[in-house]
Amino acid sequence: MVIDLHTHTNFSDGTDTPTELINKALAAGIKVIGLTDHDSTGGWQEATAALRPGIALVPGAEISCQTTDGISVHILGLLFDSSNTELMNTLEKTRENRHGRMEKIIARINQAGIDISMKDVLEQLSDGATLGRPHLADALVKKGVVASRDEAFAQMLHNNSKYYVAHYSPTPEAAIKLIKAAGGVSVIAHPMASHRGRTISLETFGSLIEAGLDGIEVDHRDHSPDEKAQLIALARQANLVMTGASDYHGNGKLNQLGEYTTEPAQWERLESTANARRVLAI
Ligand code: AMP
Ligand code: ZN
Ligand code: FE
Ligand code: FE
């Protein structure tokens, strides 16, 4: 049974529609697919409508968080109740704040003499989708400033760039508690993806576990074998679920559906931790 719990669509910075995602996942032999757009549940409805026999949908979101010492952390919330007002309000606040943040990044890029506007960036975004740096990257590609999203991130948009501006985000501890209060489960995404910027300390890990973290995404293309070994040891010690996933973004990244997967026993444990059965299937 192939289980891939972390993917994106054009409701954030992926390039496939939710319908395309479900169709491609079916074709790739995936039986359980997690839909985890950044700070959004906007794709759930279309993905649910696209379901066919043979594939089940795990509704979720990848919540952008920031620790009190300024480290970016992504928390996957899965199987939560999307009518939970507190959690939905937090996601909405993050989505809205990403627009002001984008204006600031654009102003910095303009100051460096590069001509790009908010309009150029918004043209790269589907209606109602979560705005992110990948859309700015796409606009820079269209303008001929860089050749690809990857080049845009490597040269201009990475977290240590002079153009970088953060957006509002909850602390990971707050996100974990919000997900739990909404009946869902939380998994820290790619915790050791060091090329993205600073990663959390063991001490912060302890604080997330204390807050109620359910799982660790171990198998991910941004982790080296040594980093995976460290995460496996940590998960065993803290009795956390271990997951693996593709973090698929359509054409936006090289990540392929099902390139890393979650063991059925790990998934069963995670699923049974949610306060209701929320996996969707026909
Ligand atoms: P943001 O959410 O606006 O801070 O942008 C971060 C997102 O950009 C991440 O969640 C990734 O999905 C994406 N990203 C990061 N690095 C790259 C890269 N090198 N190529 C394409 N997308 C990237
Ligand atoms: Zn993304
Ligand atoms: Fe992420
Ligand atoms: Fe992701």
Side-chain angles (χ1 to χ4, degrees):
M1 176 143 95
V2 184
I3 304 164
D4 186 345
L5 295 176
H6 178 177
T7 70
H8 299 267
T9 72
N10 65 350
F11 277 83
S12 63
D13 55 4
T15 59
D16 287 339
T17 64
T19 306
E20 287 165 343
L21 174 74
I22 297 296
N23 290 343
K24 288 181 186 182
L26 248 174
I30 291 168
K31 302 288 180 208
V32 179
I33 181 95
L35 170 56
T36 53
D37 274 309
H38 297 288
D39 308 308
S40 176
T41 60
W44 289 14
Q45 199 181 354
E46 185 186 323
T48 305
L51 284 174
R52 283 185 279 148
I55 190 160
L57 174 68
V58 179
E62 184 174 14
I63 304 180
S64 314
C65 303
Q66 208 173 358
T67 64
T68 43
D69 40 4
I71 298 173
S72 164
V73 176
H74 288 175
I75 299 289
L76 297 166
L78 303 172
L79 302 172
F80 56 83
D81 174 5
S82 65
S83 68
N84 182 283
T85 320
E86 260 197 292
L87 178 54
M88 291 308 113
N89 286 348
T90 301
L91 299 187
E92 192 181 353
K93 185 172 169 188
T94 302
R95 287 198 305 274
E96 280 176 12
N97 195 266
R98 283 168 164 276
H99 285 254
R101 174 255 200 158
M102 183 62 72
E103 303 263 16
K104 288 180 193 156
I105 297 177
I106 289 171
R108 291 187 181 191
I109 292 177
N110 290 159
Q111 257 167 21
I114 298 163
D115 171 42
I116 194 96
S117 70
M118 190 68 175
K119 184 167 168 287
D120 296 329
V121 176
L122 293 178
E123 275 173 9
Q124 302 300 322
L125 185 72
S126 307
D127 270 354
T130 306
L131 176 63
R133 283 176 283 165
H135 303 105
L136 171 55
D138 292 346
L140 290 165
V141 171
K142 194 170 177 216
K143 284 256 170 189
V145 178
V146 288
S148 65
R149 269 192 189 185
D150 255 351
E151 193 182 307
F153 270 89
Q155 293 186 2
M156 302 174 68
L157 304 183
H158 56 88
N159 290 21
N160 301 320
S161 158
K162 60 181 175 180
Y163 307 126
Y164 182 76
V165 179
H167 55 76
Y168 159 78
S169 25
T171 64
E173 290 88 348
I176 289 164
K177 287 175 186 164
L178 283 167
I179 294 162
K180 188 130 296 201
V185 295
S186 57
V187 176
I188 182 167
H190 47 70
M192 289 196 175
S194 52
H195 72 274
R196 297 173 187 232
R198 285 192 296 154
T199 57
I200 60 168
S201 62
L202 270 180
E203 193 185 347
T204 303
F205 241 115
S207 158
L208 303 194
I209 293 164
E210 185 116 317
L213 184 71
D214 298 297
I216 300 181
E217 189 177 57
V218 173
D219 272 328
H220 186 286
R221 73 154 59 204
D222 293 353
H223 291 154
S224 68
D226 182 55
E227 288 166 342
K228 287 183 193 184
Q230 289 179 54
L231 290 171
I232 290 168
L234 188 59
R236 289 208 175 119
Q237 192 193 346
N239 194 26
L240 297 180
V241 170
M242 290 178 266
T243 71
S246 64
D247 202 358
Y248 174 74
H249 278 71
N251 301 329
K253 279 187 169 183
L254 296 173
N255 311 33
Q256 293 304 305
L257 274 172
E259 66 175 27
Y260 291 102
T261 59
T262 299
E263 293 291 328
Q266 298 292 317
W267 164 238
E268 278 159 30
R269 192 176 145 206
L270 198 58
E271 205 236 321
S272 66
T273 305
N275 80 342
R277 297 195 71 90
R278 295 200 181 86
V279 177
L280 300 160
I282 57 168

